[in-house]
Amino acid sequence: MSETKGLTRQQMADRMALEFQDGWIVNLGVGIPTMCSNTDTGDRDFTYHSENGVIGYGGVASPEEEDLLLVNAGGQNVTLKPGASVVHHADSFAIIRGGHIDVTVMGAYQVSMTGDFANWKLKGQKGGGIGGAMDLAACAKRVFIILEHVTRAGGPRLVTACDLPVTARGVVKLVSTNYGLFEPTGDGFLLREIAPGLTVDEIRATTGGKLTVADGLKTVQLSR
Amino acid sequence: MSETKGLTRQQMADRMALEFQDGWIVNLGVGIPTMCSNTDTGDRDFTYHSENGVIGYGGVASPEEEDLLLVNAGGQNVTLKPGASVVHHADSFAIIRGGHIDVTVMGAYQVSMTGDFANWKLKGQKGGGIGGAMDLAACAKRVFIILEHVTRAGGPRLVTACDLPVTARGVVKLVSTNYGLFEPTGDGFLLREIAPGLTVDEIRATTGGKLTVADGLKTVQLSR
Amino acid sequence: MGQKSKQFGSFRESVADIPDGSTIGFGGFAMPGVPFNLIKALMEQGAKRLTLVGNTTGGAQQPRMPDMGMLVENGQVAKVICAFTAATRPTDVLPFTKYYESGEVEAELVPQGTLAERMRSAGAGVPAFYTPTAVGTELAEGRETRVINGREYLLEYALKLDYAFIRARTADSFGNLRFHRAQRNFCPVMATAATCTIVEVDEPILPAGAIDPDDVHTSGIFVHRLIQVPAEPDGLWPTKRQERRR
Amino acid sequence: MGQKSKQFGSFRESVADIPDGSTIGFGGFAMPGVPFNLIKALMEQGAKRLTLVGNTTGGAQQPRMPDMGMLVENGQVAKVICAFTAATRPTDVLPFTKYYESGEVEAELVPQGTLAERMRSAGAGVPAFYTPTAVGTELAEGRETRVINGREYLLEYALKLDYAFIRARTADSFGNLRFHRAQRNFCPVMATAATCTIVEVDEPILPAGAIDPDDVHTSGIFVHRLIQVPAEPDGLWPTKRQERRR
């Protein structure tokens, strides 16, 4: 990915992870969302669920810890936390579809001001990569998205309406970008926190729909 | 139960059990059907499935073998055969509904000539006892019924049409009574084997619909 | 995987907040898996107008242990949803029958497999499914059916629970459970269908991680409250059934 | 519990009778649970016009092990049903893509949870169910939906398999299986959906009864053929993935 303004990828993940509440069951998508598990959340502790039925996985396994038959949804060899368990795929998605996941964090190409998002298919592509994204998007209690604020061409990813095929409609509650923290409001986006070094005008210029700004707008606090 | 002509309860069960093929997955209802597990079937061996998720149970437990948390669908403390396993209720009925049970043997109040049967509700009763009977009846590969040939009042139990609420329609393949072995044919019953001491005329007089008799009618062979 | 302890010190505390009008599922099939101690605590707690979900209202067997029927007799129940409102053998009259026949308590009779699947569906986010069970019977009268690939099926809806009361052999502090033999029955299914699952546990509660992840029957993500059953006579345990007289 | 042995001497024999036009499910998610040896045997066996069901057509990872995509490349496949016809990261081009884009092979793209539930339904005798997944998306266009309790759901149908190819850690001679960690994934679900389940097993096959009944993951009633995987190089085993380059 090209050099970008504002937050680093890890910082975007860190900001998102600070929203998680103690005891939450969390599903992290591949890529930047996975970095949420690196965040120091103090006393708060979570249960990480993976689509392949691993409940309670921990960090990426060191070479000595590695078990070739223990992977997360990204195919990484991981460890297990005390209290972990394993179920089969139908039971794993029963957990997802049944609304037992407190939050899913995913990457996306676009998020719309009505909370739609697109992350499974490029323009003009035949087929695509859905994986568990549509189940998670439709069924998790909260859908959080992490993405770069602008495309490589400089266009917005927070848009009035997705022009790529959507993954689910009206579900996105919170978006963390390198420019700040946003909520879709129906007719635009609420800027809740701004990244250091960015201005509201810069953000407004690169965001679809109406940009509203939170009262007493805070800067994203960085621990690293 | 009152004294009856023809086969004993164990003999009715024995005759039915001889129909089972090696390797079948068998579900036996409470009462006479359970006695099928006492039958000597020679080299043929079966897997007994119980509604509560016990797959591969064996005989009733002796006092030394007894495990209070191991019961069959009749609530009897049973043993397990080598290769047994346990699943929960939804998975147990997934086995039933999914057509994985080769035969279910049940008791009944009535069987009709079209293969309907009734075994969950008495006349005028409010509510009833369905248990797993409707699932088994609708979904097992074969439904076999064991019952006394006539009611206490002397009326038929093999009837032209059930006047009790049915458990399922058109499913009964074979009926073992104290008078013999029968198949519902649509417009009556085919007498496949006759119990020692009974006559075709006696059976015809106590059976609903047309009674047809198998070519070269055999007598039920008894091992006890 | 969360700081809050799921362990409760007493059955009384574990059911204290259950409001009137709750829908509660009760694990158990015959003796195994029945949460005797939680039922007893709920009788003392006194919540009213409850909807009870379970295999049977109970009471046909001796010795009689706490069962759904006792909550009915205690005046706490508006409705039961179960696979038996009468005993398997018609000559066994259940204590429940007179309350049902008088109209004091409502009942919804559901085939056992449909009952299990309706709760499984509630836990699995499936609002409705089709089943061949009960097609052509009194239970299907006036209800929606559909022909799929030439066979007729009945539409059934998910059945959500506010609480599940279940019993397990082993638990760890995260709430992972193991059941012994036929104790499993409805228990894991109800745990997934309930907003709050309360478990009475036969053995001392183990530290998280003491159960191998491959050997967990019900994940702790479905379990909210754990109480170890004390030794008799303080705790209620399964007992040998008396033989029926013929 | 039956006299006939389920143990086969070779992978070749275990797939010998698979006819052209079969629908075959392949367990596995990333490396764990993929039946590498059965896939290899099926490539040698040569059955044609197959419908393959699995999470992905494979081929994006290095080292490449036998996967559904290789059967496609081998000219044996009419259709795939899976959750990915493209890789998660758009820059990874799957070998499958050119066969799909040219129209040589058909594909049905199904959300992963819907795919698992459709097979679970096939095994569980549920012909169709409703799910919120994919409502409002391209996948729902022209399809039947229904509003239940104010929310819109999509109707999905059961997906039956003729064969399931899966991999397990442990088996007994009755066919009871245990999986190690993430090896479980689709394997138990496909076993219930298939007319014939063929299992490649990591460890020597145990006598019936060697696995505690409480610890069985998949009952032998769902398993028809067992073959132990030989040591390398005769047998194919999971290997460490190469790190991706950024």
Side-chain angles (χ1 to χ4, degrees):
Chain A
M1 215 157 286
S2 54
E3 283 305 301
T4 52
K5 292 193 220 178
L7 306 187
T8 65
R9 293 151 61 92
Q10 182 60 57
Q11 287 168 338
M12 288 153 68
D14 285 347
R15 180 59 196 88
M16 203 50 116
L18 293 177
E19 296 289 310
F20 303 167
Q21 298 304 307
D22 184 52
W24 271 14
I25 300 156
V26 174
N27 184 294
L28 301 178
V30 293
I32 310 180
T34 295
M35 297 179 178
C36 290
S37 63
N38 303 330
T39 305
D40 178 2
T41 51
D43 274 350
R44 284 176 287 164
D45 195 20
F46 322 113
T47 302
Y48 292 109
H49 167 272
S50 173
E51 288 92 309
N52 59 344
V54 181
I55 305 166
Y57 68 87
V60 171
S62 65
E64 314 82 66
E65 293 170 317
E66 203 166 66
D67 177 341
L68 290 182
L69 298 184
L70 176 54
V71 299
N72 65 10
Q76 295 172 298
N77 288 115
V78 290
T79 60
L80 296 176
K81 289 189 186 178
S85 57
V86 179
V87 296
H88 62 55
H89 240 82
D91 280 351
S92 178
F93 280 83
I95 291 170
I96 293 170
R97 201 182 312 99
H100 306 284
I101 302 290
D102 290 295
V103 67
T104 181
V105 186
M106 285 191 259
Y109 305 133
Q110 295 180 324
V111 176
S112 84
M113 62 190 189
T114 55
D116 303 350
F117 77 103
N119 76 349
W120 68 278
K121 187 174 180 170
L122 296 171
K123 244 173 213 148
Q125 192 179 9
K126 187 174 180 185
I130 296 177
M134 283 193 183
D135 300 278
L136 284 158
C139 306
K141 285 183 195 161
R142 299 164 188 85
V143 178
F144 290 177
I145 300 289
I146 303 181
L147 41 55
E148 304 281 339
H149 200 86
V150 296
T151 66
R152 287 178 199 208
R157 292 185 189 273
L158 303 191
V159 295
T160 54
C162 296
D163 58 4
L164 291 170
V166 301
T167 307
R169 296 198 181 275
V171 297
V172 179
K173 294 283 167 283
L174 198 61
V175 185
S176 179
T177 84
N178 48 321
Y179 287 13
L181 192 68
F182 300 84
E183 284 176 21
T185 58
D187 61 349
F189 293 89
L190 169 67
L191 175 63
R192 271 180 43 181
E193 295 181 12
I194 190 166
L198 271 288
T199 68
V200 171
D201 285 345
E202 278 178 286
I203 293 176
R204 182 165 284 131
T206 53
T207 303
K210 191 172 69 176
L211 187 82
T212 50
V213 178
D215 289 344
L217 178 67
K218 284 186 287 198
T219 302
V220 178
Q221 294 302 305
L222 302 177
S223 57
R224 51 181 156 187
Chain B
M1 216 156 282
S2 55
E3 282 305 302
T4 52
K5 291 192 222 178
L7 305 186
T8 64
R9 293 152 60 93
Q10 182 60 56
Q11 288 167 338
M12 290 154 67
D14 286 346
R15 180 61 196 84
M16 203 51 117
L18 293 176
E19 296 289 312
F20 303 168
Q21 298 304 308
D22 185 53
W24 272 14
I25 300 157
V26 175
N27 184 294
L28 301 177
V30 294
I32 310 181
T34 295
M35 297 178 178
C36 290
S37 62
N38 303 330
T39 304
D40 178 2
T41 52
D43 273 352
R44 284 176 286 164
D45 195 19
F46 321 113
T47 302
Y48 293 110
H49 165 273
S50 173
E51 288 94 308
N52 59 342
V54 181
I55 304 167
Y57 68 87
V60 170
S62 64
E64 313 82 69
E65 294 171 318
E66 202 166 67
D67 176 342
L68 290 181
L69 298 184
L70 176 54
V71 299
N72 65 10
Q76 295 171 298
N77 289 115
V78 290
T79 59
L80 296 176
K81 289 189 186 178
S85 57
V86 179
V87 296
H88 63 54
H89 240 82
D91 280 350
S92 179
F93 279 84
I95 292 171
I96 294 171
R97 201 183 313 96
H100 306 285
I101 302 290
D102 290 294
V103 66
T104 180
V105 186
M106 284 191 258
Y109 305 134
Q110 296 179 325
V111 176
S112 84
M113 60 190 191
T114 55
D116 302 351
F117 77 104
N119 77 349
W120 69 278
K121 185 174 181 172
L122 296 171
K123 245 174 210 145
Q125 191 180 8
K126 187 175 181 184
I130 296 177
M134 283 192 183
D135 300 278
L136 284 159
C139 306
K141 285 184 195 161
R142 299 165 190 85
V143 177
F144 291 176
I145 300 289
I146 303 181
L147 41 55
E148 304 281 340
H149 200 85
V150 296
T151 65
R152 287 180 199 205
R157 291 184 190 273
L158 303 192
V159 295
T160 53
C162 296
D163 59 3
L164 292 170
V166 300
T167 307
R169 296 197 181 276
V171 296
V172 179
K173 293 283 168 282
L174 198 60
V175 185
S176 179
T177 83
N178 48 321
Y179 287 13
L181 193 69
F182 301 84
E183 283 177 17
T185 58
D187 62 350
F189 293 89
L190 169 68
L191 175 63
R192 271 182 43 183
E193 295 181 14
I194 189 167
L198 269 289
T199 67
V200 170
D201 285 347
E202 276 179 290
I203 294 176
R204 182 165 283 130
T206 53
T207 303
K210 189 172 70 174
L211 187 81
T212 49
V213 178
D215 288 345
L217 177 68
K218 284 187 285 196
T219 301
V220 178
Q221 294 301 308
L222 302 177
S223 58
R224 53 182 155 186
Chain C
M1 301 195 286
Q3 303 300 313
K4 200 179 149 204
S5 172
K6 295 178 178 180
Q7 289 180 246
F8 276 64
S10 72
F11 292 102
R12 188 180 52 73
E13 287 168 70
S14 75
V15 301
D17 61 354
I18 295 181
D20 293 353
S22 296
T23 296
I24 310 177
F26 295 84
F29 182 100
M31 287 256 183
V34 178
F36 300 129
N37 297 279
L38 288 166
I39 297 172
K40 180 164 166 264
L42 186 61
M43 289 174 68
E44 290 159 10
Q45 190 258 17
K48 298 266 189 298
R49 302 192 312 278
L50 301 171
T51 295
L52 311 187
V53 183
N55 190 48
T56 168
T57 59
Q61 283 134 25
Q62 293 299 330
R64 189 170 184 195
M65 301 287 285
D67 61 26
M68 283 167 46
M70 286 191 187
L71 288 158
V72 172
E73 292 155 45
N74 208 31
Q76 296 180 255
V77 180
K79 182 178 178 180
V80 299
I81 302 176
C82 56
F84 293 96
T85 57
T88 315
R89 57 171 70 195
T91 46
D92 290 342
V93 175
L94 301 182
F96 172 73
T97 303
K98 74 173 180 188
Y99 297 89
Y100 183 38
E101 291 188 342
S102 72
E104 201 171 324
V105 175
E106 203 185 330
E108 181 179 342
L109 192 56
V110 182
Q112 200 173 133
T114 299
L115 185 64
E117 189 68 12
R118 286 179 61 192
M119 289 188 280
R120 192 263 174 194
S121 293
V126 170
F129 63 93
Y130 291 94
T131 175
T133 301
V135 166
T137 75
E138 192 179 293
L139 293 194
E141 281 169 19
R143 296 189 36 210
E144 181 174 341
T145 61
R146 177 179 185 127
V147 174
I148 298 172
N149 294 330
R151 188 170 180 192
E152 190 179 357
Y153 296 94
L154 190 61
L155 182 65
E156 295 281 358
Y157 292 92
L159 175 57
K160 276 184 184 288
L161 306 173
D162 297 313
Y163 294 89
F165 284 15
I166 64 176
R167 183 156 177 156
R169 167 62 62 91
T170 315
D172 72 15
S173 63
F174 182 61
N176 290 318
L177 305 181
R178 277 177 58 81
F179 304 91
H180 178 70
R181 306 296 189 242
Q183 190 183 42
R184 206 177 310 189
N185 62 73
F186 283 97
C187 296
V189 185
M190 288 179 170
T192 68
T195 306
C196 178
T197 297
I198 313 179
V199 191
E200 53 177 81
V201 187
D202 295 350
E203 294 179 345
I205 291 161
L206 302 170
I211 305 175
D212 187 287
D214 287 342
D215 293 337
V216 171
H217 293 152
T218 289
S219 168
I221 66 171
F222 295 115
V223 171
H224 306 88
R225 301 177 187 181
L226 298 167
I227 318 98
Q228 189 194 342
V229 179
E232 291 172 304
D234 294 330
L236 297 173
W237 288 77
T239 68
K240 188 165 162 44
R241 284 172 57 178
Q242 289 176 10
E243 291 301 317
R244 291 173 189 275
R245 273 162 306 193
R246 292 232 170 259
Chain D
M1 302 196 288
Q3 302 299 314
K4 201 179 148 204
S5 172
K6 295 178 178 180
Q7 289 179 246
F8 277 62
S10 73
F11 291 102
R12 189 181 51 73
E13 288 170 69
S14 77
V15 302
D17 62 353
I18 295 181
D20 292 353
S22 297
T23 297
I24 310 177
F26 295 83
F29 182 99
M31 287 255 184
V34 179
F36 300 128
N37 298 279
L38 288 167
I39 297 172
K40 181 165 165 262
L42 186 62
M43 288 174 69
E44 289 158 11
Q45 191 259 17
K48 299 266 188 300
R49 302 191 313 279
L50 301 171
T51 295
L52 311 187
V53 183
N55 190 51
T56 169
T57 59
Q61 283 132 27
Q62 291 301 331
R64 190 171 183 195
M65 301 287 284
D67 61 25
M68 282 167 45
M70 287 193 187
L71 288 158
V72 171
E73 291 155 47
N74 208 31
Q76 297 180 253
V77 180
K79 181 178 178 180
V80 300
I81 303 175
C82 56
F84 293 95
T85 56
T88 314
R89 58 171 68 195
T91 46
D92 290 340
V93 174
L94 300 183
F96 172 73
T97 303
K98 74 171 178 191
Y99 297 88
Y100 183 38
E101 291 188 344
S102 72
E104 201 171 323
V105 176
E106 202 185 331
E108 181 180 342
L109 192 55
V110 182
Q112 198 173 135
T114 298
L115 185 65
E117 189 68 11
R118 286 179 61 192
M119 289 188 279
R120 191 262 175 194
S121 293
V126 170
F129 63 92
Y130 291 95
T131 176
T133 301
V135 166
T137 76
E138 191 179 292
L139 293 194
E141 280 169 20
R143 298 194 28 217
E144 182 175 340
T145 60
R146 178 180 183 125
V147 174
I148 298 171
N149 293 330
R151 187 169 181 193
E152 190 178 356
Y153 296 94
L154 191 59
L155 182 65
E156 294 281 359
Y157 291 92
L159 175 57
K160 276 183 186 288
L161 307 174
D162 297 314
Y163 295 88
F165 284 13
I166 63 176
R167 183 155 178 157
R169 167 62 62 93
T170 315
D172 72 15
S173 63
F174 182 62
N176 290 316
L177 305 180
R178 277 175 61 80
F179 304 91
H180 178 72
R181 305 296 187 243
Q183 192 184 42
R184 205 179 310 189
N185 62 72
F186 284 97
C187 297
V189 185
M190 289 179 170
T192 69
T195 306
C196 178
T197 297
I198 312 179
V199 191
E200 53 178 81
V201 186
D202 294 349
E203 295 179 345
I205 291 160
L206 302 170
I211 306 175
D212 188 287
D214 288 342
D215 293 338
V216 171
H217 293 152
T218 288
S219 168
I221 67 171
F222 295 116
V223 172
H224 306 89
R225 302 177 186 180
L226 298 167
I227 317 98
Q228 190 194 339
V229 180
E232 292 170 302
D234 295 329
L236 298 172
W237 288 78
T239 68
K240 188 163 163 48
R241 284 173 57 178
Q242 289 175 9
E243 291 301 317
R244 292 173 188 274
R245 273 163 304 193
R246 292 232 169 257

